[in-house]
Amino acid sequence: MRLLTMFIAAIFVTAASSAGAPAETKPVGASSALSDLMTRLQLQHAKLWFAGKLSNWSLASYEVQQIDRNLEAAGALLSDPSRIALAKDRLQAVDQAIQQKDVPAFTQAYSALTNECNGCHRTGGFASITIQIPVRPPVANQLFVDQLAEGRALAHGSCGTCHVVERAAKDSPASRPPAPSFLEITNRPSFSADDIRQFLASSHRRLGPAQAMPNPRLADYQIEAIVAYFETLKAGAPP
């Protein structure tokens, strides 16, 4: 009986020691890490194309930063990192085109970057991996257009006759007296994006002089763009 008790106690001690011990982790090999980085770069390369072609310069600049970081990390894993330096030179030209908001220059620099990627693959013995200019967006759940810029333009076109749209407007609305400014609307305690969304989708006939506020007849994606602009004003970001 005593022997059985000691045996059971030993089992519990062993189990407790195993549960408390940290799990052993295996280091990721350089080849696997490089493959992961290249997969990230491929996605960012595709996103960069659509952001630049659609003049979403903020998103394009963000993707350039991500690509630059991952190129640096990839260079640390290569036996000959000199090719990474060439790719970074091409990436800098892309960034310059983005800063200048120049779509033709962006297209040319992006093509040169793509060619450099393929040259690096061939030099490294991976000629079968050929990158091309993407023909469709890499993900279906992201907009590549500049939604904020579209919302601002739509707000001016659809609402600017009666409302002050910008935070600091140079022109006054044509209506007298003018309707509440967008900034005033966003500063109301009752403001919510859902209410604006619902209001823009309605007939608008319950507001304004003689309840005659016009209906801009916006599509859903246009409403979302204007809502995005409202939310930017609410957050205090530059419009």
Side-chain angles (χ1 to χ4, degrees):
M1 183 68 179
R2 183 179 179 184
L3 182 60
L4 178 61
T5 302
M6 292 176 63
F7 177 71
I8 294 174
I11 292 176
F12 277 109
V13 170
T14 303
S17 299
S18 299
E24 183 179 353
T25 58
K26 296 182 179 180
V28 179
S31 177
S32 177
L34 184 60
S35 177
D36 289 343
L37 283 170
M38 290 301 164
T39 300
R40 294 181 201 172
L41 283 165
Q42 186 173 3
L43 176 61
Q44 290 155 358
H45 173 269
K47 286 187 173 185
L48 174 60
W49 171 253
F50 286 98
K53 287 295 288 184
L54 294 173
S55 300
N56 190 344
W57 303 118
S58 295
L59 177 59
S61 180
Y62 171 80
E63 295 299 342
V64 164
Q65 293 173 21
Q66 299 306 304
I67 291 173
D68 185 65
R69 292 192 186 100
N70 283 324
L71 284 175
E72 284 284 350
L77 298 173
L78 294 174
S79 57
D80 179 14
S82 62
R83 299 295 304 193
I84 294 296
L86 294 174
K88 286 172 70 70
D89 287 343
R90 299 288 185 265
L91 185 64
Q92 185 176 5
V94 174
D95 188 47
Q96 289 176 351
I98 291 170
Q99 300 308 317
Q100 296 169 1
K101 300 182 179 181
D102 188 335
V103 174
F106 169 83
T107 302
Q108 183 176 2
Y110 184 92
S111 296
L113 173 64
T114 304
N115 292 336
E116 182 57 43
C117 290
N118 290 324
C120 183
H121 293 165
R122 289 189 287 269
T123 301
F126 295 96
S128 60
I129 302 177
T130 303
I131 305 300
Q132 66 176 7
I133 293 176
V135 296
R136 62 178 60 88
V139 291
N141 61 345
Q142 181 176 356
L143 286 175
F144 290 96
V145 297
D146 189 340
Q147 189 182 45
L148 179 58
E150 286 200 346
R152 184 190 298 112
L154 282 167
H156 274 289
S158 300
C159 315
T161 302
C162 302
H163 297 268
V164 174
V165 173
E166 300 283 353
R167 184 180 296 276
K170 297 179 180 179
D171 300 324
S172 299
S175 67
R176 289 291 182 270
S181 70
F182 273 30
L183 189 60
E184 179 184 342
I185 293 172
T186 60
N187 286 333
R188 292 173 178 173
S190 60
F191 170 82
S192 75
D194 286 339
D195 286 345
I196 293 295
R197 190 176 287 111
Q198 183 177 1
F199 173 71
L200 291 175
S202 70
S203 64
H204 286 56
R205 292 300 180 186
R206 296 183 180 180
L207 291 177
Q211 295 187 343
M213 183 174 178
N215 180 6
R217 302 185 185 280
L218 300 168
D220 288 345
Y221 76 92
Q222 294 173 318
I223 290 174
E224 291 304 319
I226 293 178
V227 168
Y229 179 65
F230 265 109
E231 289 182 320
T232 302
L233 290 175
K234 180 68 174 179

